Amino acid sequence: MKNNMLTYKDFLGSVEYSASDECFYGKLIGTTDLVTYEGDNVQGLKIAFREAVEDYLVLCKEVGKIPQKVYKGSFNVRISPDLHKEAALLAVRKGVSLNSLVEKAIYDEVNAS
């Protein structure tokens, strides 16, 4: 897992550093809005991140919006033709659909973390 991430109340936030501005900054991940924060040091960034989450939750409640991005459960995956062929053949050998094979692989990877 990427180490330069912040977590608070089921939100994930990025951590970046701007050498030209000499400050840390980031944005909330998994929202449909752009929510950013910044700080002069790591502690300041952590505080700004938590404040950004709290402010965003208040704003979402005021306007009746779901704070977290809603995922459909479907997405396109681009892989090499050779890997696609091997995966399709493996799915046939296992007696499952290609979607089921990919879903299990993702499930296993997510739960290994």
Side-chain angles (χ1 to χ4, degrees), residues 4-113:
N4 55 339
M5 302 297 277
L6 298 171
T7 58
Y8 178 67
K9 288 194 173 181
D10 204 30
F11 283 88
L12 193 62
S14 65
V15 175
E16 305 290 338
Y17 178 71
S18 171
S20 61
D21 296 327
E22 295 185 346
C23 74
F24 292 94
Y25 66 96
K27 66 179 182 177
L28 293 186
I29 308 297
T31 67
T32 56
D33 298 300
L34 177 60
V35 181
T36 62
Y37 44 89
E38 65 179 60
D40 293 332
N41 53 46
V42 174
Q43 188 59 32
L45 183 72
K46 289 179 178 180
I47 291 168
F49 167 66
R50 289 189 296 270
E51 289 173 350
V53 169
E54 293 294 345
D55 290 346
Y56 184 61
L57 289 171
V58 168
L59 176 66
C60 287
K61 186 173 184 176
E62 287 175 357
V63 298
K65 180 177 185 169
I66 297 171
Q68 300 279 2
K69 182 178 177 181
V70 176
Y71 292 89
K72 300 183 302 181
S74 65
F75 61 97
N76 292 326
V77 178
R78 289 173 180 76
I79 59 176
S80 73
D82 290 339
L83 183 57
H84 187 173
K85 175 184 174 184
E86 292 301 317
L89 294 175
L90 179 60
V92 169
R93 287 193 301 272
K94 289 183 171 252
V96 298
S97 69
L98 183 56
N99 278 343
S100 294
L101 184 81
V102 171
E103 180 179 15
K104 182 177 182 326
I106 293 172
Y107 178 86
D108 291 348
E109 184 66 23
V110 166
N111 288 297
S113 300

